[in-house]
Amino acid sequence: MSDIFVSYSSKDRRWVERLVATLEKHQPGWSIWWDREIGPGRRIDAEIRRELGTARCVVVVWSRAALESDWVLSEAEQGRMRSVLIPVKIDAVDPPMPFERIKSASLVNWSGELSHPGFQELLESIAVRLEQPPPEPVVERGWWARFRRLRLATRYAIAAVLGLVLVAGGISAYRILHDAAPTGMVLIPGGKFTMGSTAEEVRDAYASALKAHPTLSPTWMEPMRPDHEVALDAFYIDRHEVTEADFHRFAKAATPGTPQSAPAKNPDYPVIGVTWQEADAYCRHHGKVLPSEAQWEMAARGGGKRRYPWGDDPPGGTRANFCDQNCAKEWRDKSQDDRHSERAPVGAYAAGRSAHGVYDLAGNVAEWVRDWYDRDFYTRPAGANPFNGSAAGSPAMRAVRGGDWSSDASELRAAYRYAATPETRRDTIGFRCAKEIRD
């Protein structure tokens, strides 16, 4: 277990090298972990996951590059969930939600001076997290500051050489792979999260659903429980639902002459009316798979225990496309306006994206996942990477996750699940793909 875990974008490596070197010299008793500590032959994602889960504080380096890094955002979220996050700004940027309320130490234009106010503030914050007395303030004289700058230039040269060695050894290349996910996908770091719902949450969901569906059976929400801890390896997932244009290109090449190969009428809208088999074939054609139920829910919860992808606040017209005042269903919520009576273009609700930046995991269209459906699957012991690959019942059903444009608010919860036969075609079901990270 290290004292300090440093989270940063690979584009800020030189700056982080300076920070780590300064901390190690000024506070030699503090143990600092960053990805340079990983030796050849070790599993990068496993090492990062272990250190991130045990470090006494997580220092996240906010920069323009970091805001674009799904890996940094995920590490910062883990630090925030554990209440050990210490943010540092090196560019004049605003941290993303939900980090904007956590004060950041400002090290904009910092060049390694120990006496810099922002660096002193960082030292004090770390000392508090480590339950240690604050370090004595440092006053540097002019000649010493000039000497430090001279040494910094030397360090830059050494860092450049070491950087080339690391790239040749594959470590930097591996980190860059995480920062640059496959086109259109985002990284979901591995780890543990709570899947499903407590009995109290199920009662709340049922009470909410009952207002829209007075004849709803009390057992309708039961498949969401019990809540249980699940461990997953890191994986990628599509940022957006597969669109009509995406599926048209696939169907035109794979199965010409079918209705699905006709030109897309709404190219930017999520594809609908596809069977589970067609969704599975599309993902495999692109070297991907449908996400498992556990992967889908981890992406929706942001690795934590959020009720909805955006947090615990109730759904609204700016966060999701569900049955609002524009919807023709009798259970529509007349107090909300999501601007669409049925589907909306993918990515239209930025305020509703998950902590990892995944869109439309609540509403718009529900999504096929890889598992066979078992309403009692959560009651059985779950190993790592749980997946139900066994069909049961007659007829055998596949699991579907997420609410859709015709759903009431209770069906937008991250834990909501139901089933449909694999041959089902509905105007409320689409899909997205996932990609597992292999050794």
Side-chain angles (χ1 to χ4, degrees), residues 336-372:
Q336 297 296 331
D337 181 8
D338 61 28
R339 307 181 306 281
H340 293 275
S341 60
E342 294 187 0
R343 291 177 299 161
V346 299
Y349 300 91
R353 65 187 184 275
S354 74
H356 298 298
V358 186
Y359 288 74
D360 298 319
L361 286 165
N364 213 14
V365 294
E367 300 174 15
W368 290 115
V369 290
R370 195 160 76 247
D371 302 61
W372 288 100

Side-chain angles (χ1 to χ4, degrees), residues 203-274:
R203 285 195 297 269
D204 290 344
Y206 176 68
S208 174
L210 201 61
K211 297 175 184 178
H213 309 279
T215 61
L216 184 67
S217 168
T219 63
W220 178 248
M221 297 288 180
E222 286 298 309
M224 295 195 299
R225 60 180 298 233
D227 60 324
H228 56 290
E229 189 175 78
V230 167
L232 291 179
D233 293 335
F235 63 97
Y236 295 115
I237 195 167
D238 286 346
R239 187 182 301 274
H240 298 295
E241 293 160 329
V242 174
T243 65
E244 286 190 15
D246 294 331
F247 197 82
H248 161 66
R249 285 190 290 270
F250 158 72
K252 184 179 179 180
T255 55
T258 64
Q260 289 75 30
S261 65
K265 296 180 180 179
N266 300 287
D268 296 331
Y269 284 61
V271 67
I272 53 176
V274 294

Side-chain angles (χ1 to χ4, degrees), residues 226-339:
D227 60 324
H228 56 290
E229 189 175 78
V230 167
L232 291 179
D233 293 335
F235 63 97
Y236 295 115
I237 195 167
D238 286 346
R239 187 182 301 274
H240 298 295
E241 293 160 329
V242 174
T243 65
E244 286 190 15
D246 294 331
F247 197 82
H248 161 66
R249 285 190 290 270
F250 158 72
K252 184 179 179 180
T255 55
T258 64
Q260 289 75 30
S261 65
K265 296 180 180 179
N266 300 287
D268 296 331
Y269 284 61
V271 67
I272 53 176
V274 294
T275 66
W276 184 93
Q277 293 92 338
E278 290 166 343
D280 179 67
Y282 174 95
C283 291
R284 294 186 183 281
H285 177 79
H286 290 86
K288 306 176 186 179
V289 293
L290 287 168
S292 68
E293 281 204 79
Q295 288 174 333
W296 190 98
E297 188 166 332
M298 188 181 202
R301 290 189 183 274
K305 201 178 186 305
R306 297 178 172 205
R307 181 172 296 178
Y308 306 99
W310 57 83
D312 293 330
D313 293 335
T318 62
R319 293 192 176 106
N321 177 20
F322 63 111
C323 196
D324 68 330
Q325 61 183 249
N326 304 293
C327 177
K329 305 296 183 181
E330 60 184 16
W331 54 82
R332 63 185 179 275
D333 185 344
K334 297 179 181 179
S335 69
Q336 297 296 331
D337 181 8
D338 61 28
R339 307 181 306 281

